[in-house]
Amino acid sequence: MNNDPVDSRLIQRIRDNPKYQQLVQKRSRFAWRLSILMLIIYYAFILVIAFAPKSLGIKIAAGSVISVGIPIGVFIIVAAFLLTGIYVRRANGEFDELTRQIKEETK
Amino acid sequence: MKLFFASFSGLLGALWTPLLWAAEAAKPETKVNMTAILMFFAFVAVTLGITYWAASRTKTTKDFYAAGGGITGFQNGLAIAGDYMSAASFLGISAMVFAKGYDGLIYSIGFLVGWPVILFLMAEQLRNLGRYTFADIVSFRLSRVPIRTLSALGTLCTVILYLIAQMVGAGQLIRTLFGLPYEYAVIIVGALMILYVAFGGMIATTWVQIIKAVLLLTGATFIALGALHHSGYNLEAFFRAAMEGVKASGLADHKKVVADNKDIFAPGGLVSDPISAISLGMALMFGTAGLPHILMRFFTVANAKEARKSVFYATGFIGYFYILTFIIGFGAVVLVAPNAQYVDMIKGTLQGGNNMAAIHMAHATGGDLFLGFISAVAFATILAVVSGLTLAGASAVSHDIYANAIRGGNVNEQTEMRISKGAALVIGIIAIFLGIQFEKQNVAFMVGLAFAIAASANFPILILSIYWKNLTTRGALIGGSLGLISTVVMVVLSKTVWVDVLGNKAPLFPYKDPAIFSMTLAFVGCWLFSKTDNSQQAARERALFDAQSVRCETGIGAAGASGH
């Protein structure tokens, strides 16, 4: 409507391509799973802060001043970075290869 | 180009006069820091040189809004980090760790975890569906005029609030660091950002952000290393020293911690109840995914692959930066808090204001020269962020309102660019004016409000338009407006504005962060009024979803990159 309408027959051809359906299914499942994982990690942390803030103050070892909250916090930051790495690796490899094949086949 | 030179030399003159004046008239409490001023001049000279170069390469709207689409994933990752790591995060979060301990980390984690979600659900979709602004994506299927207007409104609200907060912060910071009067500081920041944006567009803005990100990451790394060095790079010794630091501290916050026998390595009273904790978490996480100046950065790369890489690098840089601010904050507890040079032992406050922890840390670890460097970096940080904001605001005016909503997309590129440059000028002047007006106001709530609006107005319509076939113009319009209006109303009635700014006795709305309510309202509004929309237009919009998802998934038909 507002943008250049891509040829509707081309769209139909792409949608009928099993590889397209495979791409959509695989990618969206992967993306949502990782998103939910990130949300669970983060909201678990937030809920602990909301309902049991003291538990993050437990020391990592007897005689240490470091609380478990510190490595947990750093872990969440590192986990966020690693998850993006995992997604980019698969998307820029497997998914982009599928996309390339779809473009090739539906030219 | 002539105009550029005229403004350039005018600005240099304008810069020197107050600086010299300040140098002469400096009062004892506002020392003029010559190293800082010289380093800041070097930064301004380099960035204006880049702006001059960028101006000669900015010929089309694509150059102006999206740097020609030729930025690489790595460069864009750095630029996103430069756009996102504001002086508020650098100074604010390290100061929060300094004063409150573990609570500071809760904020930085919230600011970071939005990024993976942006990558998984939005980055490549933005690149494949949009050209210059996030409204391009929402109006792919939906009706142009109302949707562009709403998106532009959401953009401008976010941008102006964020800008005011940055401007006021800049004025106060520069007054302390450079010994420069508040108004001059605000005017210099405003004038520079107008120059960068109006002449150099996205190319100049990107490079200002990249340089700033490198400077800030380098500077923060050195402060953190200095802090760890003091404890022989032993973490146990470092945190033990922090605990001792609290006991010896002259800061009122720390005395209270000792009196209450609290643990600075555990969550404190910052997040008071479950609703506030969850609401704050939502605003931080989804607000990031709705910030127009951040979303705009995804249009500067050539394709989905580079867009994904951008987020990977950005998340790495930003995460690393937050770990640094955490170390800097606790390092300041060790080195700054017990030292009468930095703390007013009688009043129990930090010299120069409570946001100065990182700045004093620079002095404590690297002396005067390093303090000068970090002060200049803090100034550069503000410039990079306000430039990104101004460009996003100008694009909303020229691309969304003028070119699309008013002219229906039939517009001459040169005219659109002129409008955009004019808009950058006007937004800059408004920001300077409001920055001066708000000098004495408490503006801390404005960044929070900007995030809440981004999360409740921009984010819902954007994510639903990408993923939910049934979204219609009516639903998006009502849902987005509900999100926008309810956020503003709830923030005004909350303690931060109703009590702290307007001086009323008790807040009418009990929570500080409205996101949990306003986001729910926005999503329910979008859902309800789309579901019940049986118009012909709605049917057409739903029918277009297939074409949209093909383009979204494969990038076929996406605005290609010329990539010079």
Side-chain angles (χ1 to χ4, degrees), chain A residues 1-4 6 10-11 14-15 20 23-24 27 31-32 34-35 38-39 42-43 45-47 49-51 53-54 56-57 59-60 63-67 69-70 72-74 76-78 80-81 83-85 87-88 91-93 95-96 99 102-103 106, chain B residues 102 105-106 109-110 112-113 116-117 119-121 124 136 139-144 235-236 239-240 243 263 265-267 271 274 277-278 281-282 284-286 305 308-309 312 315-316 319 322-323 326 467 541 544 546-547 549-557:
Chain A
M1 186 161 28
N2 300 328
N3 293 269
D4 309 328
V6 185
L10 175 69
I11 287 168
I14 294 173
R15 285 174 55 81
Y20 175 76
L23 171 73
V24 172
R27 209 227 334 256
W32 283 103
L34 287 177
S35 304
M38 188 72 243
L39 288 171
Y42 178 54
Y43 280 98
F45 177 67
I46 289 290
L47 289 176
I49 292 168
F51 292 103
K54 289 236 159 52
L56 287 172
K59 303 300 172 192
I60 53 167
S64 173
V65 294
I66 302 175
S67 64
I70 291 170
I72 288 175
V74 173
I76 298 175
I77 292 179
V78 174
F81 177 58
L83 288 181
T84 59
Y87 180 80
V88 170
N92 280 5
F95 298 156
D96 271 3
T99 309
I102 295 164
K103 282 183 184 167
T106 44
Chain B
Y102 194 78
L105 190 64
I106 301 174
I109 289 174
L112 186 74
V113 290
V117 177
L119 169 68
F120 306 148
L121 301 180
E124 55 203 88
D136 291 341
S139 63
F140 188 93
R141 293 185 286 139
L142 307 188
S143 176
R144 192 189 324 241
L235 283 181
E236 183 67 42
F239 285 112
R240 197 170 286 279
M243 221 164 69
D263 183 357
F265 306 127
V271 186
I278 295 166
M282 287 173 75
L284 295 180
M285 185 170 205
F286 299 109
K305 193 186 270 291
R308 294 182 198 117
K309 279 194 207 161
F312 172 66
T315 312
Y322 283 139
I323 292 176
F326 188 65
Y467 286 99
E541 288 165 358
L544 271 169
D546 288 346
S549 38
V550 166
R551 174 158 153 187
C552 186
E553 294 286 344
T554 63
I556 293 170

